[in-house]
Amino acid sequence: MSEEVEMKPCPFCGGEIDDMGKADHPAYFATTQNPTRYAVNCSRCLTMGPFAPSTNGAILAWNARAAPKVKALEWKDFEGMGAKAGAYYQANYMITLWRGRGQFEVSFSYPGHGTGYDGERFHDSLEAAKAAAQADYEARILAALE
Ligand SMILES: [Zn+2]
């Protein structure tokens, strides 16, 4: 290898990549179909790639890899009783003000189904409830990505 290219931490888990995490490690490449393809492999979260024809190319491609960002939920007032945001398909997040207890409840629903929300339900402010819903939304979206 001619010159070392500095490698960025993993965009998904923030893990620093050590030598064992490089996919040009012989033990790793012995099992691939094409030994001329290289990729950085995060040994913590197992994110790999993109592939390139050289180790430096693989590192440059890795460094250019951006962590996916999930869009912010777009909240609409829900008849003065809280807020509502469409998540994906027909799923919605709802935030409902419980006037008696002075708290906002987060829920998540599909048509014909009850809530599928397992996070902290009650929050002292609308902003805190929105943040909890956003965190749940991001976790659901990111869970579907490699
Ligand atoms: Zn990682």
Side-chain angles (χ1 to χ4, degrees):
M1 195 185 309
S2 51
E3 58 188 279
E4 281 287 323
V5 179
E6 193 169 323
M7 198 181 316
K8 290 184 181 175
C10 176
F12 295 91
C13 73
E16 296 287 338
I17 309 302
D18 57 22
D19 287 342
M20 287 298 290
K22 291 181 186 175
D24 60 344
H25 190 266
Y28 176 82
F29 265 96
T31 61
T32 62
Q33 293 176 329
N34 182 348
T36 62
R37 287 174 11 124
Y38 298 87
V40 176
N41 183 23
C42 178
S43 53
R44 191 199 283 176
C45 74
L46 307 182
T47 294
M48 183 170 63
F51 284 93
S54 68
T55 53
N56 278 353
I59 293 169
L60 290 171
W62 171 266
N63 287 348
R65 188 172 185 167
K69 273 195 82 172
V70 179
K71 284 197 281 188
L73 291 167
E74 292 181 26
W75 294 100
K76 295 183 175 122
D77 179 65
F78 184 62
E79 297 168 11
M81 296 164 43
K84 179 179 180 179
Y88 44 82
Y89 302 117
Q90 295 176 318
N92 294 296
Y93 283 95
M94 288 285 300
I95 296 173
T96 309
L97 172 61
W98 286 55
R99 294 189 195 281
R101 64 191 276 173
Q103 287 188 305
F104 294 87
E105 180 188 22
V106 176
S107 62
F108 179 75
S109 65
Y110 295 101
H113 293 273
T115 182
Y117 178 74
D118 319 313
E120 187 72 39
R121 285 170 53 209
F122 288 96
H123 300 271
D124 292 336
S125 71
L126 183 59
E127 288 310 307
K130 286 179 179 178
Q134 181 71 32
D136 184 79
Y137 180 55
E138 291 182 13
R140 286 174 193 270
I141 296 295
L142 293 175
L145 304 177
E146 284 191 324

